[in-house]
Amino acid sequence: MADARRLRSIALFGGTFDPVHFGHLRMALELKEALGVDEMRMLPSHRPAHRETPGVSGAHRREMLAIALRGCSELQLDERELRRAGDTYTVDTLEELRAELGEEVSLAFCMGLDSLLTLPSWHRWEHLLELAHLVVVTRPGWQLPHRNSGPGHEEVAVLVERHAGEVSHLLSEPRGRLVLREQTLLPISATHIRQLVADGRSPRFLLPAAVLQYIEDNQLYTGAGDGAGQN
Ligand code: ATP
């Protein structure tokens, strides 16, 4: 029976992880369990050198993520975007993964509702669902946009209507569904952590202790901005 098949399934959790914190890690782990996917990959995004936080290169961001994931078999690190030179677009990453994995693997790209609303400005955004599913994480009680939810939401609303799917589709179909997933976010942000460090205050208990140690050892986010270790 076609609908009884169970595909290998891989979900991707992208971000700048500058630095990675418990909000990211809990979200990725809870999503992996809720979606029932085989793999959840953390995908640090490349940034042009001039847009990096001063003193914090892609290499540092990757290293902090690697440290955070040490001993964690549920989450994997996928470094492909950091290895690519120049601008990185999600659509290119998904094309690369699709070429690598073939057609019969389910791929799901996870994003917040705020990212979904900006989707029409993404490079070749119409192709994303030809390559993967999109999992849109909303806070409990939030709604996906519909046709009359406001100017600029029309294209997204059409996409949502056309592709709406269930979590079960992520395991039975390789691509093409837009799945809504409600999840509570821990009130932690990387911006706040960077600010605490720059102010000489402690971000302890907002991120793994080993990541904090790495930040201290390398004097990251101190505001010195010497560009040390830039890619
Ligand atoms: P910044 O403060 O620098 O904007 P951030 O903490 O929001 O960073 P990003 O690296 O931009 O982190 O986010 C990566 C992904 O993690 C995004 O999909 C974002 O929606 C999600 N995310 C960020 N903070 C949290 C959180 N507290 N709980 C769950 N998910 C989060």
Side-chain angles (χ1 to χ4, degrees):
M1 248 164 49
D3 59 352
R5 66 182 180 159
R6 167 73 157 88
L7 300 177
R8 179 182 169 204
S9 51
I10 300 175
L12 304 163
F13 189 94
T16 50
F17 306 116
D18 189 18
V20 62
H21 55 66
F22 284 136
H24 302 133
L25 296 165
R26 275 307 304 173
M27 174 62 79
L29 183 59
E30 287 177 26
L31 263 181
K32 177 176 192 276
E33 291 179 343
L35 303 178
V37 292
D38 299 318
E39 283 179 49
M40 174 62 83
R41 299 190 186 178
M42 309 296 281
L43 185 74
S45 54
H46 176 76
R47 273 175 157 182
H50 66 275
R51 284 184 48 210
E52 291 277 19
T53 307
V56 183
S57 62
H60 280 314
R61 294 188 288 111
R62 179 192 53 223
E63 191 56 27
M64 289 189 279
L65 207 38
I67 290 169
L69 298 180
R70 216 173 265 161
C72 168
S73 58
E74 293 93 340
L75 305 175
Q76 276 83 43
L77 174 57
D78 190 323
E79 302 179 14
R80 71 186 60 237
E81 291 199 348
L82 291 179
R83 282 198 298 262
R84 205 182 301 149
D87 289 338
T88 48
Y89 297 111
T90 301
V91 70
D92 297 333
T93 302
L94 295 178
E95 271 179 350
E96 192 182 308
L97 275 160
R98 191 46 86 194
E100 221 171 81
L101 299 165
E103 297 303 313
E104 289 301 303
V105 171
S106 168
L107 258 184
F109 187 82
C110 304
M111 58 170 66
L113 181 59
D114 46 345
S115 298
L116 177 73
L117 298 177
T118 67
L119 205 67
S121 66
W122 291 26
H123 184 58
R124 294 167 59 214
W125 70 283
E126 305 89 338
H127 297 288
L128 295 170
L129 280 150
E130 293 166 8
L131 295 160
H133 302 292
L134 297 183
V135 174
V136 178
V137 183
T138 66
R139 294 167 202 232
W142 286 37
Q143 299 274 314
L144 284 177
H146 44 86
R147 277 174 200 259
N148 44 11
S149 49
H153 289 174
E154 174 85 17
E155 281 169 301
V156 175
V158 170
L159 193 81
V160 170
E161 277 175 30
R162 195 170 294 156
H163 294 274
E166 306 290 330
V167 167
S168 60
H169 290 130
L170 304 179
L171 306 184
S172 60
E173 298 177 11
R175 64 177 76 74
R177 298 286 188 163
L178 195 150
V179 175
L180 177 65
R181 176 75 208 160
E182 280 191 0
Q183 207 134 314
T184 307
L185 270 59
L186 294 178
I188 303 174
S189 78
T191 305
H192 180 54
I193 292 173
R194 293 195 299 272
Q195 194 59 55
L196 286 173
V197 178
D199 292 347
R201 294 158 67 204
S202 175
R204 191 174 297 282
F205 310 132
L206 297 176
L207 73 177
V211 175
L212 177 55
Q213 189 64 54
Y214 183 90
I215 290 172
E216 289 172 355
D217 290 348
N218 291 279
Q219 297 181 292
L220 306 181
Y221 308 116
T222 55
D226 59 4
Q230 288 282 347
N231 269 344

